[in-house]
């Protein structure tokens, strides 16, 4: 039994005036191949690829006795302009093919390829080869890019120096270092050498001081 083929767009159904003799349906399983040591090549099925539909039909320029749309005939130019408009809009159209006994095709498709042939002696008539590919709707994701915020780096403020008196002293506490003591009294840790020089009698190594030591803090 021959097919009755329709396209449906925006709620309007268009039947092709002449049924195609056959419709080829191509459905492929995507397969990943891997090489396994000592086992060889294996195949792992992943997903179903998009289904493709191919067929050829005649679009007459004038109504003929064998057309399927005698009560609402549209010539070849009408259909070709219709297909062109759909493709330019880059929108899917519903493809319906019914054979009258089940297993009907009803799928959203894109017209991937359209080949038009005009034969000598049949001026105005068009023979059109279709290749349709299944359209799967997909959702668009919105990516929000955060606005970069300005980072304010606060510089260390100089530590105000402690007012010194003649022969000031500092008793070493746990965790003290000469660098830290110099920063406390002079406002600059690099002045630790002055404290070291004034206390060489009890400091052998400027990196080693001990809790309880009473250090002279020179002016």
């Amino acid at each position: 039994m021959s097919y009755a083929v329709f396209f449906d767009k925006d709620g309007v159904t268009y039947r092709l005036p002449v049924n195609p003799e056959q419709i080829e349906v191509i459905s492929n399983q995507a397969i990943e191949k891997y090489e396994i040591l000592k086992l060889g090549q294996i195949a792992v099925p992943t997903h179903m690829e998009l289904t493709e539909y191919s067929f050829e039909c005649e679009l007459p320029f004038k109504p003929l006795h064998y057309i399927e749309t005698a009560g609402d005939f549209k010539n070849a130019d009408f259909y070709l302009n219709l297909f062109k408009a759909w493709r330019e809009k880059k929108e899917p159209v519903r493809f319906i093919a019914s054979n009258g006994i089940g297993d009907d095709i009803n799928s959203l498709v894109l017209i991937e390829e359209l080949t038009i042939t005009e034969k000598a002696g049949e001026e105005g008539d068009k023979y059109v080869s279709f290749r349709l590919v299944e359209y799967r709707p997909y959702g668009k994701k919105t990516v929000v890019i955060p606005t970069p915020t300005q980072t304010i780096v606060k510089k260390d403020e100089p530590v105000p120096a402690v007012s010194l008196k003649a022969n000031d002293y500092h008793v070493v506490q746990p965790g003290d270092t000469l660098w830290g003591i110099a920063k406390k009294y002079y406002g600059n840790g690099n002045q630790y050498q002055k404290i070291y020089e004034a206390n060489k009698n009890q400091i052998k190594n400027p990196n080693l001081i001990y809790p309880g030591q009473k250090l002279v803090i020179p002016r």
Side-chain angles (χ1 to χ4, degrees), residues 25-46:
V25 181
I26 301 175
S27 178
N28 291 323
Q29 168 85 61
I31 295 176
E32 296 283 352
K33 296 180 180 179
Y34 301 92
E35 293 288 342
I36 305 297
L37 188 64
K38 295 184 179 181
L39 183 61
Q41 193 175 65
I42 65 169
V44 178
T46 56

Side-chain angles (χ1 to χ4, degrees), residues 175-189:
D176 276 354
T177 63
L178 288 185
W179 193 94
I181 295 170
K183 186 171 183 180
K184 176 180 178 181
Y185 288 96
Y186 301 127
N188 185 349

Side-chain angles (χ1 to χ4, degrees), residues 55-59 80 114-117 126-130:
F55 62 92
E56 180 181 302
C57 74
E58 178 187 358
L59 298 178
L80 294 179
L114 204 61
T115 303
I116 303 168
T117 303
K126 302 292 192 302
Y127 292 85
V128 183
S129 296
F130 290 85

